[in-house]
Amino acid sequence: MIAAAAGEAGVAFSPWALLVGVGLLIANGWFVAVEIALLAARRARVEELAALGDRRAQRALDALRELSITFSGAQLGITLASLGLGAVAEPAVTHLLEDWLEAAGLGEGTATVIGFSLGLGIVVFLHMVVGEMAPKNLALARAEQVAVGMARSFHWFVTLLRPLIIVLNGAGNLLVRAVGVEPVDEHNLVHTPAELRFVVAESRRQGTVMGAEARVLESALSLAAITAEDAMTPRVDLEAVAEDAGTDEVLVVAARTGFTRLPVYRESLDDIVGILHVKDLLVGRGAEGSLPIRPIAAVPHSRDLEHLLHDLLESGDHAAIVVDEYGGTAGLVTLEDVLEELVGDIADEFDIESGPRQRGRHWVVEGTLRRDELERLTGLVLDSGDSETVSGWMTEHLGRLVRRGDSVVTADGWRLHVLTLEGRRAGEVAITAPLGSETVDEAGP
């Protein structure tokens, strides 16, 4: 019946109807590609091309600045093309098939039913594959190129039909506001740090960002979640000298530790008065008989590393005293400590060979290793608790101070074993993954 009605209108029986149908199919795919490309295009890349003088990129950027109008225009084009296919292409294909079927000896009624079914199926198939799926996948794979390449012609389409597009877009916005949502005209593609970390992880998985680069990016995005207390040298490990110490005594400490900067205290470590640069001592700075002490800043233990890094760079200092909630000295955090959170351990000629070691599914780590670092290194996620370090977690789990030889097995089969002690805490801890577990590769993040 549809074919007959179209035939009476003088459309379906014209061979030109097939050519018009092909044109509408191409137009439908063109509008789909424009819509998907503008949605998937990286705005920063389009802005970069526009800044280089690419006028097509400038048109694409204009479209991105009024996405509501842009997508309404694309939808109008897709709708018109789809309606045209139904009105022109389907009757034309159906009539052609009916003629072939009747010529093959089928009755008129049978040919009409079969021709209509096949014609509708062919047009729907071509519409979905050629007019929708293929251009969509092309636009997703080459978003910026497609958006820039089609921007100028799409601009003329939107300009020509802007009044109609504005009316239709306004009607859609009224419906959106009716459900309590305010429409937006520009998509800024703002991401949270968590979303950016996911992007980095996906990029590393796809091989577009290498392991070392991904680690630095992930670490940079995590600086705000790491506090000065997490990165500091704790008070128990702090190497400091008394304010009234002699030059020889200071040089002995510097030679033993390899540190060129030493905190200076008056009565106790809770009374840090400054920091001593061994270089100043060697070149004879400072008053006769006194140490050349420089001032040192103090920061709360909760200060995050993102702000702390900014503070250190702005002041030109290389270290700060970390103060606990009671006003006492919790430890010392240096610029090197912050940088190591970004790029990993920075070794120099004075550092003793140490650090995590891996062999297969076995690791040896320091007891002071933070739990988040342990997860990044091995994939082991320790269950909830107040302690931040591996040694602290084992102490909390055992309910007493750790001893050499202590072992703890987690619920999912990981084994932690104390190899050595450093005072009252674990020195080195052996980590063994359960058989068949998926662990982080040694050259991983």
Side-chain angles (χ1 to χ4, degrees):
M1 292 178 62
I2 294 177
E8 292 175 2
V11 174
F13 296 99
S14 171
W16 290 101
L18 291 176
L19 295 178
V20 171
V22 171
L24 291 171
L25 191 63
I26 294 173
N28 193 95
W30 184 80
F31 284 114
V32 169
V34 170
E35 181 181 34
I36 297 300
L38 289 173
L39 181 64
R42 294 172 295 175
R43 178 163 180 163
R45 177 56 180 160
V46 176
E47 289 176 341
E48 180 184 351
L49 293 173
L52 293 174
D54 191 331
R55 300 189 66 176
R56 299 176 306 162
Q58 184 59 56
R59 291 295 190 192
L61 191 57
D62 292 340
L64 290 173
R65 287 172 176 158
E66 54 172 13
L67 281 184
S68 184
I69 294 295
T70 296
F71 287 163
S72 295
Q75 282 299 312
L76 175 61
I78 293 170
T79 302
L80 291 176
S82 299
L83 291 175
L85 279 172
V88 177
E90 186 274 327
V93 173
T94 297
H95 177 72
L96 181 63
L97 291 174
E98 285 178 1
D99 289 344
W100 289 350
L101 292 172
E102 288 180 8
L106 293 179
E108 181 179 350
T110 303
T112 298
V113 173
I114 296 177
F116 172 75
S117 301
L118 289 176
L120 181 62
I122 291 172
V123 172
V124 169
F125 174 81
L126 292 174
H127 180 229
M128 291 180 61
V129 176
V130 180
E132 295 281 350
M133 295 181 181
K136 177 198 69 174
N137 292 336
L138 172 64
L140 287 174
R142 297 287 187 270
E144 290 81 24
Q145 294 94 318
V146 173
V148 171
M150 295 181 169
R152 183 172 293 174
S153 53
F154 183 70
H155 167 76
W156 288 114
F157 172 81
V158 172
T159 300
L160 182 64
L161 297 180
R162 180 172 285 270
L164 177 59
I165 294 172
I166 290 176
V167 171
L168 295 173
N169 186 63
N173 286 344
L174 287 176
L175 291 177
V176 172
R177 290 189 180 96
V179 297
V181 178
E182 185 62 29
V184 296
D185 290 326
E186 184 173 1
H187 187 26
N188 290 321
L189 294 178
V190 176
H191 296 286
T192 65
E195 291 170 336
L196 289 174
R197 281 194 292 271
F198 175 77
V199 171
V200 173
E202 277 296 299
S203 298
R204 180 173 60 182
R205 189 176 68 84
Q206 296 292 337
T208 57
V209 178
M210 304 310 292
E213 296 171 333
R215 184 191 186 285
V216 172
L217 289 172
E218 290 172 344
S219 299
L221 293 169
S222 302
L223 277 185
I226 303 174
T227 65
E229 184 178 24
D230 296 331
M232 70 182 183
T233 299
R235 175 184 175 131
V236 67
D237 294 329
L238 202 58
E239 296 286 352
V241 295
E243 185 181 23
D244 57 359
T247 301
D248 291 342
E249 183 180 348
V250 173
L251 292 177
V252 168
V253 175
R256 175 174 57 82
T257 63
F259 298 147
T260 58
R261 295 179 178 86
L262 298 168
V264 180
Y265 62 89
R266 184 163 292 152
E267 297 294 335
S268 68
L269 286 179
D270 290 321
D271 187 17
I272 301 292
V273 296
I275 192 165
L276 170 66
H277 290 232
V278 175
K279 179 180 66 175
D280 292 342
L281 193 65
L282 294 176
V283 299
R285 293 181 182 174
E288 185 67 28
S290 64
L291 297 177
I293 302 172
R294 299 189 185 189
I296 185 171
V299 298
H301 65 97
S302 58
R303 186 69 164 170
D304 66 84
L305 294 194
E306 181 179 337
H307 289 93
L308 178 60
L309 178 60
H310 177 270
D311 295 341
L312 293 176
L313 293 176
E314 190 174 61
S315 65
D317 295 332
H318 285 255
I321 293 297
V322 181
V323 179
D324 63 26
E325 58 185 308
Y326 302 105
T329 298
L332 177 76
V333 62
T334 66
L335 184 59
E336 182 179 324
D337 292 329
V338 180
L339 295 178
E340 284 184 337
E341 293 293 334
L342 289 172
V343 300
D345 290 338
I346 302 174
D348 59 33
E349 63 272 24
F350 296 105
D351 286 339
I352 299 173
E353 187 69 25
S354 61
R357 305 186 297 277
Q358 180 189 5
R359 185 172 182 180
R361 60 188 183 93
H362 304 278
W363 290 264
V364 175
V365 303
E366 296 179 3
T368 54
L369 189 70
R370 292 202 316 270
R371 290 164 57 169
D372 62 310
E373 294 176 315
L374 178 68
E375 178 183 354
R376 189 166 58 197
L377 176 70
T378 67
L380 170 59
V381 180
L382 298 177
D383 56 27
S384 58
D386 296 328
S387 301
E388 290 295 330
T389 65
V390 174
S391 178
W393 181 87
M394 294 188 71
T395 298
E396 191 174 355
H397 192 86
L398 292 168
R400 56 170 172 78
L401 294 177
V402 294
R403 303 175 187 139
R404 183 177 179 181
D406 279 341
S407 293
V408 174
V409 179
T410 65
D412 47 0
W414 289 77
R415 183 172 182 267
L416 295 83
H417 179 76
V418 179
L419 297 178
T420 63
L421 294 177
E422 289 184 4
R424 295 185 176 90
R425 73 183 183 215
E428 288 190 332
V429 178
I431 310 290
T432 303
L435 286 171
S437 65
E438 293 185 7
T439 59
V440 178
D441 185 72
E442 184 175 10

